[in-house]
Structures are given as structure tokens and as C-alpha cells.
Amino acid sequence: MVSLVFAAAFMVASAEQRTLERIKAQAPTVKRWAGWVLLAVGLWFITLAVFADFFARIFPV
């Protein structure tokens, strides 16, 4: 019974290590996508600010 618990703990630890390595490997891709999304949202906010009157006519509140 003790060996089964020890084996289970070892399997969980190795799975956790593999998951962390995979996450660390994908970090640059996630940061790149987050940068593009942040840029798109910023451009959208600037567009809304510049053309506020136009959007106010289209979307009356």
C-alpha cells in the first residue's frame, strides 16, 4: 500500500514538472499574442475616441 501511494506521488510530481515545462515553452507565444490583442484593443479605443460623434449617432444610448 505504501508503495502505491509513493508511486502515485511520484507520478503526480513528474506530471506537474512536464506541465510546467510545457507552459514555460509556450510563454513567448502567449506574450506575443497578448501584445497583438492589447494593440488591437488600444487602436479600437482610439478609433472610438476620434469618431465618438459618428458612433453616438449609430449607437444611441
Side-chain angles (χ1 to χ4, degrees):
M1 187 66 157
V2 172
S3 62
L4 289 176
V5 172
F6 181 74
F10 180 74
M11 295 291 285
V12 168
S14 65
E16 181 182 357
Q17 186 64 31
R18 284 191 306 246
T19 302
L20 287 175
E21 289 171 358
R22 192 168 48 235
I23 289 171
K24 287 180 184 178
Q26 293 296 323
T29 304
V30 171
K31 287 180 182 180
R32 191 175 305 115
W33 275 99
W36 283 111
V37 169
L38 185 62
L39 184 65
V41 170
L43 288 173
W44 176 248
F45 282 155
I46 290 171
T47 303
L48 284 177
V50 170
F51 299 107
D53 294 332
F54 175 74
F55 284 115
R57 278 185 268 127
I58 292 176
F59 305 112
V61 177

